[in-house]
Amino acid sequence: MEHHAEAIASGSIAGYNAVCEAFGHAPLQLPRSTAIGDIIAYANEKMETKEGRRNRYTFAGAEYFEHMKEAGLYTLDVKKIEERIEKAGLKDVFKKKVV
């Protein structure tokens, strides 16, 4: 299965934000300092162009993967990822009660 990480992450955020919307809360917006926040913003920007709508944006390679490395977002170091999430104020964000 390819592109599953992006699908799981964006689907989780969409579901979370749907509940937030239903209960009058502000949606969760992930900053570009996180890989998923960056890929969402990057893909949205690229989709504004005809050429950009022809591409796929995934963590698995191609254009976005190169951008991710250049932006310093690519790492397999779990500790660095945890630190980035905590710095963004997102630690345990899905554990917070919305309802």
Side-chain angles (χ1 to χ4, degrees):
M1 182 165 65
E2 99 183 33
H3 316 305
H4 60 281
E6 301 88 336
I8 292 167
S10 61
S12 296
I13 294 163
Y16 183 88
N17 282 341
V19 173
C20 287
E21 175 72 23
F23 287 91
H25 301 295
L28 176 63
Q29 295 182 331
L30 301 178
R32 288 192 90 146
S33 62
T34 66
I36 193 65
D38 187 63
I39 196 172
I40 291 168
Y42 184 87
N44 283 335
E45 290 165 1
K46 293 293 184 173
M47 296 298 262
E48 292 179 10
T49 68
K50 187 175 183 177
E51 182 180 293
R53 288 188 294 270
R54 294 184 189 145
N55 295 332
R56 292 185 179 178
Y57 303 99
T58 74
F59 295 143
E63 179 181 338
Y64 181 73
F65 186 68
E66 291 304 315
H67 166 82
M68 191 172 153
K69 290 190 296 186
E70 290 169 8
L73 293 171
Y74 179 75
T75 183
L76 298 177
D77 185 332
V78 174
K79 190 74 173 162
K80 284 184 181 179
I81 296 167
E82 288 173 346
E83 289 169 358
R84 189 178 298 150
I85 295 303
E86 190 163 353
K87 186 176 179 182
L90 297 169
K91 183 175 180 180
D92 296 328
V93 71
F94 292 117
K95 289 183 178 180
K96 296 175 184 170
K97 289 194 174 197
V98 178
V99 182

